[in-house]
Amino acid sequence: MIIKNSEFTISAVSPKQYPSDDLPQIVLVGKSNVGKSSFINTLINRKNLARTSSQPGKTRLINFYKVLFSKDKDSANDNFYFVDLPGYGYSKMSHEQQAQVGRFIEEYLLKSKNINLVIFLIDIRHNPTSNDKLMYDYIIKNNLPCIIVANKADKIAVTKVDTQVQSLQEILNPLKDLPFLPFSTERKIYIDAVMEEIEKHL
């Protein structure tokens, strides 16, 4: 899969603002500060397309990024969206703000007709939070296509990555029926496996 171009499209707060062109959507969910924006920037090989924030919980909009790609150098070009949902679980948000983020996420996941894949990011260094488990249960209950990505793999020794991924999967996805992959914006060795999963769903 070859990424050829990418652009920010819109920040949405309601379904009427979602793109109406029926392109496939690859959706990122995860807690605040898990690295969703950096994940997008790494996959599309752009430093600052997806806006990262030094303040967790600051992104409270649904951001759509249009990506031009081809399956290989001989294939025709096609498009999809990366959709960056607001991060949940930021402790400094008020209960009202956290509830609003929850409503944004749920409304999008229920009403978007073009979700081809949910990429659920967790932090490889920490056990899944109660909010992570709620998100996982919601994805499973609604039968959404999903892969789980254990991000920030550069923060632990490379020799411990596989064992830690297995341990996290035992906690979050004990049936082991979803792809569960490590990722790092620093160690590029994990990119191809994630891109292969995305390509399967386009």
Side-chain angles (χ1 to χ4, degrees), residues 132-168:
D132 289 330
K133 291 175 181 177
L134 285 172
M135 176 56 71
Y136 172 81
D137 290 343
Y138 184 89
I139 289 167
I140 297 301
K141 178 183 174 184
N142 288 280
N143 201 28
L144 294 167
C146 179
I147 66 172
I148 302 173
V149 172
N151 197 22
K152 305 192 179 185
D154 54 288
K155 304 296 185 184
I156 64 174
V158 68
T159 53
K160 296 181 179 178
V161 167
D162 288 345
T163 302
Q164 182 67 359
V165 167
Q166 291 170 14
S167 174
L168 292 172

PDB file of all heavy atoms in Angstrom, residues 132-168:
ATOM      1  N   ASP A 132     -11.053   2.011  28.626  1.00  0.00           N
ATOM      2  CA  ASP A 132     -10.636   1.154  27.513  1.00  0.00           C
ATOM      3  C   ASP A 132     -11.537  -0.079  27.415  1.00  0.00           C
ATOM      4  O   ASP A 132     -11.950  -0.485  26.320  1.00  0.00           O
ATOM      5  CB  ASP A 132      -9.180   0.690  27.694  1.00  0.00           C
ATOM      6  CG  ASP A 132      -8.164   1.799  27.483  1.00  0.00           C
ATOM      7  OD1 ASP A 132      -8.443   2.726  26.689  1.00  0.00           O
ATOM      8  OD2 ASP A 132      -7.092   1.732  28.111  1.00  0.00           O
ATOM      9  N   LYS A 133     -11.840  -0.666  28.561  1.00  0.00           N
ATOM     10  CA  LYS A 133     -12.672  -1.878  28.557  1.00  0.00           C
ATOM     11  C   LYS A 133     -14.096  -1.561  28.100  1.00  0.00           C
ATOM     12  O   LYS A 133     -14.725  -2.347  27.384  1.00  0.00           O
ATOM     13  CB  LYS A 133     -12.666  -2.513  29.946  1.00  0.00           C
ATOM     14  CG  LYS A 133     -11.299  -3.106  30.303  1.00  0.00           C
ATOM     15  CD  LYS A 133     -11.258  -3.624  31.738  1.00  0.00           C
ATOM     16  CE  LYS A 133      -9.872  -4.180  32.072  1.00  0.00           C
ATOM     17  NZ  LYS A 133      -9.779  -4.622  33.485  1.00  0.00           N
ATOM     18  N   LEU A 134     -14.606  -0.388  28.493  1.00  0.00           N
ATOM     19  CA  LEU A 134     -15.929   0.033  28.017  1.00  0.00           C
ATOM     20  C   LEU A 134     -15.918   0.226  26.503  1.00  0.00           C
ATOM     21  O   LEU A 134     -16.862  -0.172  25.816  1.00  0.00           O
ATOM     22  CB  LEU A 134     -16.343   1.339  28.706  1.00  0.00           C
ATOM     23  CG  LEU A 134     -16.795   1.229  30.167  1.00  0.00           C
ATOM     24  CD1 LEU A 134     -16.970   2.633  30.761  1.00  0.00           C
ATOM     25  CD2 LEU A 134     -18.099   0.447  30.285  1.00  0.00           C
ATOM     26  N   MET A 135     -14.857   0.844  25.984  1.00  0.00           N
ATOM     27  CA  MET A 135     -14.761   1.049  24.544  1.00  0.00           C
ATOM     28  C   MET A 135     -14.676  -0.296  23.810  1.00  0.00           C
ATOM     29  O   MET A 135     -15.349  -0.505  22.790  1.00  0.00           O
ATOM     30  CB  MET A 135     -13.544   1.918  24.214  1.00  0.00           C
ATOM     31  CG  MET A 135     -13.306   2.114  22.709  1.00  0.00           C
ATOM     32  SD  MET A 135     -14.731   2.797  21.825  1.00  0.00           S
ATOM     33  CE  MET A 135     -14.735   4.477  22.454  1.00  0.00           C
ATOM     34  N   TYR A 136     -13.858  -1.194  24.339  1.00  0.00           N
ATOM     35  CA  TYR A 136     -13.747  -2.527  23.728  1.00  0.00           C
ATOM     36  C   TYR A 136     -15.109  -3.219  23.707  1.00  0.00           C
ATOM     37  O   TYR A 136     -15.539  -3.763  22.672  1.00  0.00           O
ATOM     38  CB  TYR A 136     -12.738  -3.370  24.508  1.00  0.00           C
ATOM     39  CG  TYR A 136     -12.691  -4.815  24.064  1.00  0.00           C
ATOM     40  CD1 TYR A 136     -11.960  -5.187  22.946  1.00  0.00           C
ATOM     41  CD2 TYR A 136     -13.379  -5.807  24.764  1.00  0.00           C
ATOM     42  CE1 TYR A 136     -11.921  -6.512  22.526  1.00  0.00           C
ATOM     43  CE2 TYR A 136     -13.354  -7.126  24.358  1.00  0.00           C
ATOM     44  CZ  TYR A 136     -12.617  -7.464  23.243  1.00  0.00           C
ATOM     45  OH  TYR A 136     -12.594  -8.775  22.820  1.00  0.00           O
ATOM     46  N   ASP A 137     -15.822  -3.192  24.829  1.00  0.00           N
ATOM     47  CA  ASP A 137     -17.142  -3.834  24.904  1.00  0.00           C
ATOM     48  C   ASP A 137     -18.109  -3.205  23.903  1.00  0.00           C
ATOM     49  O   ASP A 137     -18.914  -3.905  23.280  1.00  0.00           O
ATOM     50  CB  ASP A 137     -17.713  -3.731  26.325  1.00  0.00           C
ATOM     51  CG  ASP A 137     -16.967  -4.600  27.322  1.00  0.00           C
ATOM     52  OD1 ASP A 137     -16.231  -5.509  26.888  1.00  0.00           O
ATOM     53  OD2 ASP A 137     -17.109  -4.366  28.539  1.00  0.00           O
ATOM     54  N   TYR A 138     -18.029  -1.890  23.742  1.00  0.00           N
ATOM     55  CA  TYR A 138     -18.913  -1.202  22.805  1.00  0.00           C
ATOM     56  C   TYR A 138     -18.626  -1.642  21.364  1.00  0.00           C
ATOM     57  O   TYR A 138     -19.547  -1.905  20.582  1.00  0.00           O
ATOM     58  CB  TYR A 138     -18.732   0.319  22.932  1.00  0.00           C
ATOM     59  CG  TYR A 138     -19.675   1.102  22.062  1.00  0.00           C
ATOM     60  CD1 TYR A 138     -20.931   1.482  22.528  1.00  0.00           C
ATOM     61  CD2 TYR A 138     -19.330   1.454  20.763  1.00  0.00           C
ATOM     62  CE1 TYR A 138     -21.811   2.188  21.730  1.00  0.00           C
ATOM     63  CE2 TYR A 138     -20.202   2.163  19.951  1.00  0.00           C
ATOM     64  CZ  TYR A 138     -21.439   2.519  20.439  1.00  0.00           C
ATOM     65  OH  TYR A 138     -22.307   3.211  19.628  1.00  0.00           O
ATOM     66  N   ILE A 139     -17.338  -1.732  21.023  1.00  0.00           N
ATOM     67  CA  ILE A 139     -16.945  -2.157  19.675  1.00  0.00           C
ATOM     68  C   ILE A 139     -17.446  -3.570  19.391  1.00  0.00           C
ATOM     69  O   ILE A 139     -18.012  -3.849  18.328  1.00  0.00           O
ATOM     70  CB  ILE A 139     -15.409  -2.076  19.523  1.00  0.00           C
ATOM     71  CG1 ILE A 139     -14.963  -0.607  19.486  1.00  0.00           C
ATOM     72  CG2 ILE A 139     -14.935  -2.816  18.275  1.00  0.00           C
ATOM     73  CD1 ILE A 139     -13.469  -0.413  19.645  1.00  0.00           C
ATOM     74  N   ILE A 140     -17.262  -4.473  20.359  1.00  0.00           N
ATOM     75  CA  ILE A 140     -17.680  -5.858  20.181  1.00  0.00           C
ATOM     76  C   ILE A 140     -19.202  -5.954  20.092  1.00  0.00           C
ATOM     77  O   ILE A 140     -19.762  -6.627  19.213  1.00  0.00           O
ATOM     78  CB  ILE A 140     -17.154  -6.730  21.337  1.00  0.00           C
ATOM     79  CG1 ILE A 140     -15.621  -6.747  21.340  1.00  0.00           C
ATOM     80  CG2 ILE A 140     -17.712  -8.153  21.233  1.00  0.00           C
ATOM     81  CD1 ILE A 140     -14.975  -7.258  20.084  1.00  0.00           C
ATOM     82  N   LYS A 141     -19.906  -5.255  20.992  1.00  0.00           N
ATOM     83  CA  LYS A 141     -21.373  -5.295  21.019  1.00  0.00           C
ATOM     84  C   LYS A 141     -21.970  -4.831  19.698  1.00  0.00           C
ATOM     85  O   LYS A 141     -22.989  -5.364  19.231  1.00  0.00           O
ATOM     86  CB  LYS A 141     -21.881  -4.413  22.160  1.00  0.00           C
ATOM     87  CG  LYS A 141     -23.395  -4.337  22.273  1.00  0.00           C
ATOM     88  CD  LYS A 141     -23.806  -3.387  23.392  1.00  0.00           C
ATOM     89  CE  LYS A 141     -25.310  -3.178  23.437  1.00  0.00           C
ATOM     90  NZ  LYS A 141     -25.706  -2.181  24.470  1.00  0.00           N
ATOM     91  N   ASN A 142     -21.332  -3.847  19.077  1.00  0.00           N
ATOM     92  CA  ASN A 142     -21.854  -3.285  17.835  1.00  0.00           C
ATOM     93  C   ASN A 142     -21.229  -3.906  16.583  1.00  0.00           C
ATOM     94  O   ASN A 142     -21.471  -3.438  15.468  1.00  0.00           O
ATOM     95  CB  ASN A 142     -21.666  -1.768  17.831  1.00  0.00           C
ATOM     96  CG  ASN A 142     -22.612  -1.077  18.793  1.00  0.00           C
ATOM     97  OD1 ASN A 142     -23.775  -0.856  18.491  1.00  0.00           O
ATOM     98  ND2 ASN A 142     -22.107  -0.753  19.985  1.00  0.00           N
ATOM     99  N   ASN A 143     -20.432  -4.960  16.812  1.00  0.00           N
ATOM    100  CA  ASN A 143     -19.891  -5.755  15.702  1.00  0.00           C
ATOM    101  C   ASN A 143     -19.112  -4.894  14.707  1.00  0.00           C
ATOM    102  O   ASN A 143     -19.231  -5.062  13.486  1.00  0.00           O
ATOM    103  CB  ASN A 143     -21.025  -6.496  14.987  1.00  0.00           C
ATOM    104  CG  ASN A 143     -20.512  -7.688  14.209  1.00  0.00           C
ATOM    105  OD1 ASN A 143     -19.492  -8.288  14.557  1.00  0.00           O
ATOM    106  ND2 ASN A 143     -21.199  -8.025  13.127  1.00  0.00           N
ATOM    107  N   LEU A 144     -18.313  -3.966  15.231  1.00  0.00           N
ATOM    108  CA  LEU A 144     -17.504  -3.106  14.375  1.00  0.00           C
ATOM    109  C   LEU A 144     -16.189  -3.801  14.031  1.00  0.00           C
ATOM    110  O   LEU A 144     -15.552  -4.403  14.907  1.00  0.00           O
ATOM    111  CB  LEU A 144     -17.213  -1.777  15.083  1.00  0.00           C
ATOM    112  CG  LEU A 144     -18.422  -0.883  15.349  1.00  0.00           C
ATOM    113  CD1 LEU A 144     -18.061   0.228  16.334  1.00  0.00           C
ATOM    114  CD2 LEU A 144     -18.958  -0.290  14.056  1.00  0.00           C
ATOM    115  N   PRO A 145     -15.770  -3.754  12.771  1.00  0.00           N
ATOM    116  CA  PRO A 145     -14.470  -4.339  12.412  1.00  0.00           C
ATOM    117  C   PRO A 145     -13.355  -3.596  13.140  1.00  0.00           C
ATOM    118  O   PRO A 145     -13.335  -2.363  13.139  1.00  0.00           O
ATOM    119  CB  PRO A 145     -14.391  -4.140  10.900  1.00  0.00           C
ATOM    120  CG  PRO A 145     -15.326  -3.005  10.607  1.00  0.00           C
ATOM    121  CD  PRO A 145     -16.417  -3.084  11.626  1.00  0.00           C
ATOM    122  N   CYS A 146     -12.452  -4.321  13.759  1.00  0.00           N
ATOM    123  CA  CYS A 146     -11.508  -3.664  14.671  1.00  0.00           C
ATOM    124  C   CYS A 146     -10.170  -4.371  14.701  1.00  0.00           C
ATOM    125  O   CYS A 146     -10.096  -5.611  14.610  1.00  0.00           O
ATOM    126  CB  CYS A 146     -12.119  -3.639  16.081  1.00  0.00           C
ATOM    127  SG  CYS A 146     -11.069  -2.874  17.350  1.00  0.00           S
ATOM    128  N   ILE A 147      -9.109  -3.584  14.821  1.00  0.00           N
ATOM    129  CA  ILE A 147      -7.804  -4.093  15.250  1.00  0.00           C
ATOM    130  C   ILE A 147      -7.396  -3.292  16.478  1.00  0.00           C
ATOM    131  O   ILE A 147      -7.810  -2.149  16.649  1.00  0.00           O
ATOM    132  CB  ILE A 147      -6.717  -4.007  14.154  1.00  0.00           C
ATOM    133  CG1 ILE A 147      -6.377  -2.549  13.819  1.00  0.00           C
ATOM    134  CG2 ILE A 147      -7.141  -4.764  12.909  1.00  0.00           C
ATOM    135  CD1 ILE A 147      -5.174  -2.389  12.897  1.00  0.00           C
ATOM    136  N   ILE A 148      -6.609  -3.905  17.340  1.00  0.00           N
ATOM    137  CA  ILE A 148      -6.119  -3.232  18.545  1.00  0.00           C
ATOM    138  C   ILE A 148      -4.622  -2.989  18.377  1.00  0.00           C
ATOM    139  O   ILE A 148      -3.866  -3.912  18.017  1.00  0.00           O
ATOM    140  CB  ILE A 148      -6.394  -4.063  19.805  1.00  0.00           C
ATOM    141  CG1 ILE A 148      -7.894  -4.337  19.934  1.00  0.00           C
ATOM    142  CG2 ILE A 148      -5.879  -3.338  21.053  1.00  0.00           C
ATOM    143  CD1 ILE A 148      -8.275  -5.289  21.040  1.00  0.00           C
ATOM    144  N   VAL A 149      -4.206  -1.760  18.615  1.00  0.00           N
ATOM    145  CA  VAL A 149      -2.812  -1.373  18.434  1.00  0.00           C
ATOM    146  C   VAL A 149      -2.241  -0.903  19.769  1.00  0.00           C
ATOM    147  O   VAL A 149      -2.758   0.037  20.377  1.00  0.00           O
ATOM    148  CB  VAL A 149      -2.688  -0.264  17.367  1.00  0.00           C
ATOM    149  CG1 VAL A 149      -1.260   0.274  17.323  1.00  0.00           C
ATOM    150  CG2 VAL A 149      -3.096  -0.786  15.995  1.00  0.00           C
ATOM    151  N   ALA A 150      -1.209  -1.595  20.222  1.00  0.00           N
ATOM    152  CA  ALA A 150      -0.514  -1.224  21.457  1.00  0.00           C
ATOM    153  C   ALA A 150       0.587  -0.230  21.104  1.00  0.00           C
ATOM    154  O   ALA A 150       1.662  -0.609  20.623  1.00  0.00           O
ATOM    155  CB  ALA A 150       0.053  -2.466  22.134  1.00  0.00           C
ATOM    156  N   ASN A 151       0.289   1.048  21.305  1.00  0.00           N
ATOM    157  CA  ASN A 151       1.168   2.127  20.861  1.00  0.00           C
ATOM    158  C   ASN A 151       2.282   2.398  21.878  1.00  0.00           C
ATOM    159  O   ASN A 151       2.252   1.918  22.994  1.00  0.00           O
ATOM    160  CB  ASN A 151       0.330   3.391  20.631  1.00  0.00           C
ATOM    161  CG  ASN A 151       1.052   4.424  19.785  1.00  0.00           C
ATOM    162  OD1 ASN A 151       1.977   4.098  19.034  1.00  0.00           O
ATOM    163  ND2 ASN A 151       0.645   5.674  19.899  1.00  0.00           N
ATOM    164  N   LYS A 152       3.257   3.188  21.441  1.00  0.00           N
ATOM    165  CA  LYS A 152       4.396   3.630  22.265  1.00  0.00           C
ATOM    166  C   LYS A 152       5.330   2.466  22.609  1.00  0.00           C
ATOM    167  O   LYS A 152       5.916   2.416  23.699  1.00  0.00           O
ATOM    168  CB  LYS A 152       3.910   4.356  23.526  1.00  0.00           C
ATOM    169  CG  LYS A 152       2.981   5.538  23.202  1.00  0.00           C
ATOM    170  CD  LYS A 152       2.723   6.435  24.385  1.00  0.00           C
ATOM    171  CE  LYS A 152       1.813   7.597  23.982  1.00  0.00           C
ATOM    172  NZ  LYS A 152       1.611   8.569  25.060  1.00  0.00           N
ATOM    173  N   ALA A 153       5.488   1.553  21.644  1.00  0.00           N
ATOM    174  CA  ALA A 153       6.356   0.392  21.875  1.00  0.00           C
ATOM    175  C   ALA A 153       7.817   0.787  22.056  1.00  0.00           C
ATOM    176  O   ALA A 153       8.608   0.011  22.609  1.00  0.00           O
ATOM    177  CB  ALA A 153       6.220  -0.606  20.719  1.00  0.00           C
ATOM    178  N   ASP A 154       8.184   1.996  21.619  1.00  0.00           N
ATOM    179  CA  ASP A 154       9.566   2.454  21.813  1.00  0.00           C
ATOM    180  C   ASP A 154       9.859   2.772  23.275  1.00  0.00           C
ATOM    181  O   ASP A 154      11.021   2.944  23.658  1.00  0.00           O
ATOM    182  CB  ASP A 154       9.835   3.699  20.969  1.00  0.00           C
ATOM    183  CG  ASP A 154       8.824   4.810  21.220  1.00  0.00           C
ATOM    184  OD1 ASP A 154       7.668   4.668  20.779  1.00  0.00           O
ATOM    185  OD2 ASP A 154       9.175   5.810  21.876  1.00  0.00           O
ATOM    186  N   LYS A 155       8.804   2.831  24.109  1.00  0.00           N
ATOM    187  CA  LYS A 155       8.987   3.173  25.522  1.00  0.00           C
ATOM    188  C   LYS A 155       9.387   1.963  26.375  1.00  0.00           C
ATOM    189  O   LYS A 155       9.668   2.115  27.571  1.00  0.00           O
ATOM    190  CB  LYS A 155       7.713   3.794  26.095  1.00  0.00           C
ATOM    191  CG  LYS A 155       7.218   5.023  25.346  1.00  0.00           C
ATOM    192  CD  LYS A 155       8.198   6.174  25.417  1.00  0.00           C
ATOM    193  CE  LYS A 155       7.608   7.427  24.771  1.00  0.00           C
ATOM    194  NZ  LYS A 155       8.576   8.546  24.746  1.00  0.00           N
ATOM    195  N   ILE A 156       9.379   0.775  25.781  1.00  0.00           N
ATOM    196  CA  ILE A 156       9.847  -0.415  26.501  1.00  0.00           C
ATOM    197  C   ILE A 156      10.910  -1.112  25.655  1.00  0.00           C
ATOM    198  O   ILE A 156      11.036  -0.849  24.454  1.00  0.00           O
ATOM    199  CB  ILE A 156       8.699  -1.394  26.830  1.00  0.00           C
ATOM    200  CG1 ILE A 156       8.067  -1.965  25.562  1.00  0.00           C
ATOM    201  CG2 ILE A 156       7.641  -0.702  27.686  1.00  0.00           C
ATOM    202  CD1 ILE A 156       7.019  -3.042  25.832  1.00  0.00           C
ATOM    203  N   ALA A 157      11.675  -1.995  26.269  1.00  0.00           N
ATOM    204  CA  ALA A 157      12.733  -2.702  25.547  1.00  0.00           C
ATOM    205  C   ALA A 157      12.137  -3.519  24.407  1.00  0.00           C
ATOM    206  O   ALA A 157      11.090  -4.144  24.567  1.00  0.00           O
ATOM    207  CB  ALA A 157      13.494  -3.614  26.504  1.00  0.00           C
ATOM    208  N   VAL A 158      12.798  -3.503  23.264  1.00  0.00           N
ATOM    209  CA  VAL A 158      12.282  -4.212  22.091  1.00  0.00           C
ATOM    210  C   VAL A 158      12.102  -5.704  22.378  1.00  0.00           C
ATOM    211  O   VAL A 158      11.201  -6.347  21.828  1.00  0.00           O
ATOM    212  CB  VAL A 158      13.200  -3.967  20.864  1.00  0.00           C
ATOM    213  CG1 VAL A 158      14.560  -4.633  21.052  1.00  0.00           C
ATOM    214  CG2 VAL A 158      12.530  -4.396  19.576  1.00  0.00           C
ATOM    215  N   THR A 159      12.915  -6.241  23.275  1.00  0.00           N
ATOM    216  CA  THR A 159      12.818  -7.663  23.605  1.00  0.00           C
ATOM    217  C   THR A 159      11.579  -7.988  24.429  1.00  0.00           C
ATOM    218  O   THR A 159      11.197  -9.155  24.556  1.00  0.00           O
ATOM    219  CB  THR A 159      14.065  -8.113  24.390  1.00  0.00           C
ATOM    220  OG1 THR A 159      14.245  -7.251  25.519  1.00  0.00           O
ATOM    221  CG2 THR A 159      15.299  -8.056  23.500  1.00  0.00           C
ATOM    222  N   LYS A 160      10.948  -6.964  24.996  1.00  0.00           N
ATOM    223  CA  LYS A 160       9.777  -7.192  25.848  1.00  0.00           C
ATOM    224  C   LYS A 160       8.452  -6.912  25.128  1.00  0.00           C
ATOM    225  O   LYS A 160       7.384  -7.141  25.701  1.00  0.00           O
ATOM    226  CB  LYS A 160       9.859  -6.310  27.104  1.00  0.00           C
ATOM    227  CG  LYS A 160      11.039  -6.654  28.005  1.00  0.00           C
ATOM    228  CD  LYS A 160      11.060  -5.762  29.242  1.00  0.00           C
ATOM    229  CE  LYS A 160      12.233  -6.135  30.165  1.00  0.00           C
ATOM    230  NZ  LYS A 160      12.291  -5.252  31.353  1.00  0.00           N
ATOM    231  N   VAL A 161       8.533  -6.417  23.898  1.00  0.00           N
ATOM    232  CA  VAL A 161       7.324  -5.968  23.202  1.00  0.00           C
ATOM    233  C   VAL A 161       6.340  -7.111  22.984  1.00  0.00           C
ATOM    234  O   VAL A 161       5.153  -7.012  23.316  1.00  0.00           O
ATOM    235  CB  VAL A 161       7.690  -5.291  21.863  1.00  0.00           C
ATOM    236  CG1 VAL A 161       6.442  -5.100  20.992  1.00  0.00           C
ATOM    237  CG2 VAL A 161       8.355  -3.947  22.112  1.00  0.00           C
ATOM    238  N   ASP A 162       6.796  -8.225  22.428  1.00  0.00           N
ATOM    239  CA  ASP A 162       5.883  -9.324  22.100  1.00  0.00           C
ATOM    240  C   ASP A 162       5.203  -9.879  23.357  1.00  0.00           C
ATOM    241  O   ASP A 162       3.998 -10.146  23.357  1.00  0.00           O
ATOM    242  CB  ASP A 162       6.625 -10.450  21.373  1.00  0.00           C
ATOM    243  CG  ASP A 162       7.011 -10.066  19.951  1.00  0.00           C
ATOM    244  OD1 ASP A 162       6.462  -9.052  19.447  1.00  0.00           O
ATOM    245  OD2 ASP A 162       7.847 -10.755  19.339  1.00  0.00           O
ATOM    246  N   THR A 163       5.976 -10.031  24.426  1.00  0.00           N
ATOM    247  CA  THR A 163       5.407 -10.544  25.676  1.00  0.00           C
ATOM    248  C   THR A 163       4.368  -9.586  26.240  1.00  0.00           C
ATOM    249  O   THR A 163       3.308 -10.009  26.725  1.00  0.00           O
ATOM    250  CB  THR A 163       6.522 -10.759  26.711  1.00  0.00           C
ATOM    251  OG1 THR A 163       7.484 -11.668  26.174  1.00  0.00           O
ATOM    252  CG2 THR A 163       5.970 -11.312  28.010  1.00  0.00           C
ATOM    253  N   GLN A 164       4.652  -8.291  26.167  1.00  0.00           N
ATOM    254  CA  GLN A 164       3.717  -7.298  26.688  1.00  0.00           C
ATOM    255  C   GLN A 164       2.433  -7.265  25.848  1.00  0.00           C
ATOM    256  O   GLN A 164       1.336  -7.148  26.404  1.00  0.00           O
ATOM    257  CB  GLN A 164       4.377  -5.918  26.717  1.00  0.00           C
ATOM    258  CG  GLN A 164       3.523  -4.808  27.288  1.00  0.00           C
ATOM    259  CD  GLN A 164       3.223  -4.955  28.775  1.00  0.00           C
ATOM    260  OE1 GLN A 164       3.631  -5.914  29.423  1.00  0.00           O
ATOM    261  NE2 GLN A 164       2.487  -4.004  29.320  1.00  0.00           N
ATOM    262  N   VAL A 165       2.564  -7.376  24.549  1.00  0.00           N
ATOM    263  CA  VAL A 165       1.375  -7.412  23.681  1.00  0.00           C
ATOM    264  C   VAL A 165       0.505  -8.618  24.038  1.00  0.00           C
ATOM    265  O   VAL A 165      -0.727  -8.512  24.146  1.00  0.00           O
ATOM    266  CB  VAL A 165       1.785  -7.441  22.196  1.00  0.00           C
ATOM    267  CG1 VAL A 165       0.592  -7.800  21.306  1.00  0.00           C
ATOM    268  CG2 VAL A 165       2.345  -6.086  21.777  1.00  0.00           C
ATOM    269  N   GLN A 166       1.125  -9.770  24.227  1.00  0.00           N
ATOM    270  CA  GLN A 166       0.368 -10.973  24.600  1.00  0.00           C
ATOM    271  C   GLN A 166      -0.341 -10.793  25.938  1.00  0.00           C
ATOM    272  O   GLN A 166      -1.495 -11.194  26.107  1.00  0.00           O
ATOM    273  CB  GLN A 166       1.317 -12.184  24.658  1.00  0.00           C
ATOM    274  CG  GLN A 166       1.840 -12.611  23.298  1.00  0.00           C
ATOM    275  CD  GLN A 166       2.958 -13.637  23.396  1.00  0.00           C
ATOM    276  OE1 GLN A 166       3.182 -14.227  24.457  1.00  0.00           O
ATOM    277  NE2 GLN A 166       3.674 -13.845  22.308  1.00  0.00           N
ATOM    278  N   SER A 167       0.344 -10.169  26.890  1.00  0.00           N
ATOM    279  CA  SER A 167      -0.242  -9.941  28.209  1.00  0.00           C
ATOM    280  C   SER A 167      -1.449  -9.017  28.122  1.00  0.00           C
ATOM    281  O   SER A 167      -2.502  -9.277  28.732  1.00  0.00           O
ATOM    282  CB  SER A 167       0.816  -9.337  29.141  1.00  0.00           C
ATOM    283  OG  SER A 167       0.255  -8.977  30.379  1.00  0.00           O
ATOM    284  N   LEU A 168      -1.333  -7.941  27.333  1.00  0.00           N
ATOM    285  CA  LEU A 168      -2.450  -7.001  27.170  1.00  0.00           C
ATOM    286  C   LEU A 168      -3.628  -7.664  26.455  1.00  0.00           C
ATOM    287  O   LEU A 168      -4.787  -7.411  26.784  1.00  0.00           O
ATOM    288  CB  LEU A 168      -1.980  -5.767  26.400  1.00  0.00           C
ATOM    289  CG  LEU A 168      -0.987  -4.860  27.129  1.00  0.00           C
ATOM    290  CD1 LEU A 168      -0.446  -3.792  26.190  1.00  0.00           C
ATOM    291  CD2 LEU A 168      -1.632  -4.211  28.344  1.00  0.00           C
TER     292      LEU A 168
END
